[in-house]
Amino acid sequence: MGVNPVQAVGRASLGGLQFVGRAALFAVRGTASVFAPPLFLGQTGRQLVSIGYFSLPVVGLTAVFTGAALALNIYTGGGRFNAEQIMPQIVALGITRELGPVLAALMLAGRVSAAIAAEIGAMRATEQIDAMQTLSTDPFRYLVAPRLAAAVIALPLLTLVADTIGIAGGWLVATRTLNFNATTYVRSTWAFIQGWDVGSGLIKAAVFGFIVALMGCFHGYYASGGARGVGRATTHAVVSAAVLIFAADYLLTTVFTHR
């Protein structure tokens, strides 16, 4: 018996709406738990180290190669209009407003969302979350809130690092391969870049950090089906975080462009 296409579309639509509703309620409860006592500051500090400090290598490597590749492509494209000299400004603008926060968030989606979903999902599978509730410990305050707060704090800091290293990668290629003057490159970049260019990227990074932690916590918290369910939760956390990052990036860019 064939699958009814209308039924399949309806089932997918209802499943999508159910996901949006559950995720929205989870986000509201998780955000409220960040500001509700008791505050588990030690847990938040550990998550800051795990999410922020241990993500520095992958974010730094991604940023330096992105900045270098961006510089080469902009130089090549600008050469078609005899506009190679605008390359430093475009690299700085592209890194600070767009590529820095987005790439840092995607790296965290792959590393942090998966880790959070796996950790909380394993706790759900082994009934540790049920044990917390039995001992009158709110899982949202102990598990979800510290991860949300740590990601919102850590990702803007990582984005600042990514911005600096990405611009440095463009500078390195420009001065070592494309025969730009090092001092002129730095001065033109510094004169062109504005505070809002960096600030808008940091606002994006804070939103992306919330999304990364939220998707990891959400899918891990509702994981079911043992080890296989934990694996599914990990995959869904990474995919949903990446998709929401791109959607949020478009919405925020639209808002910032028309400010």
Side-chain angles (χ1 to χ4, degrees):
M1 184 176 180
V3 177
N4 188 333
V6 176
Q7 185 180 17
V9 171
R11 185 183 297 113
S13 300
L14 290 176
L17 292 173
Q18 183 184 30
F19 168 78
V20 171
R22 293 177 71 187
L25 293 175
F26 190 93
V28 170
R29 185 176 174 185
T31 303
S33 299
V34 173
F35 304 101
L39 303 177
F40 295 95
L41 298 180
Q43 184 76 351
T44 303
R46 284 189 292 272
Q47 293 303 321
L48 270 173
V49 173
S50 176
I51 294 173
Y53 179 75
F54 290 126
S55 297
L56 278 172
V58 66
V59 171
L61 286 172
T62 302
V64 69
F65 288 119
T66 299
L70 187 63
L72 288 172
N73 280 288
I74 293 175
Y75 183 83
T76 302
R80 300 176 185 178
F81 305 96
N82 296 319
E84 300 93 336
Q85 297 305 314
I86 68 169
M87 187 265 286
Q89 294 90 332
I90 303 302
V91 169
L93 192 67
I95 291 289
T96 55
R97 291 184 71 104
E98 189 68 25
L99 293 178
V102 170
L103 290 177
L106 290 177
M107 291 302 102
L108 258 69
R111 180 185 176 275
V112 175
S113 279
I116 291 175
E119 183 181 3
I120 297 180
M123 296 178 70
R124 171 65 73 186
T126 56
E127 300 182 351
Q128 295 181 53
I129 294 179
D130 296 331
M132 284 184 187
Q133 294 173 325
T134 302
L135 296 173
S136 300
T137 300
D138 187 356
F140 273 80
R141 293 178 183 174
Y142 186 77
L143 297 176
V144 177
R147 287 164 174 80
L148 290 177
V152 170
I153 296 171
L155 192 51
L157 298 177
L158 288 172
T159 299
L160 281 176
V161 174
D163 290 347
T164 304
I165 296 178
I167 292 173
W171 173 87
L172 190 64
V173 168
T175 56
R176 296 293 183 268
T177 306
L178 305 177
N179 299 319
F180 275 72
N181 180 272
T183 303
T184 303
Y185 188 101
V186 173
R187 286 179 177 174
S188 61
T189 300
W190 186 258
F192 178 79
I193 205 74
Q194 297 179 359
W196 178 243
D197 298 328
V198 178
S200 62
L202 296 182
I203 294 173
K204 286 184 178 182
V207 175
F208 297 161
F210 181 82
I211 291 172
V212 166
L214 178 68
M215 288 297 99
C217 293
F218 173 77
H219 288 286
Y221 191 84
Y222 289 112
S224 61
R228 181 173 295 182
V230 174
R232 286 196 302 267
T234 302
T235 302
H236 292 162
V238 175
V239 173
S240 57
V243 171
L244 288 175
I245 285 168
F246 284 121
D249 178 56
Y250 171 74
L251 293 175
L252 291 172
T253 301
T254 302
V255 172
F256 295 157
T257 301
H258 296 90
R259 59 183 284 271

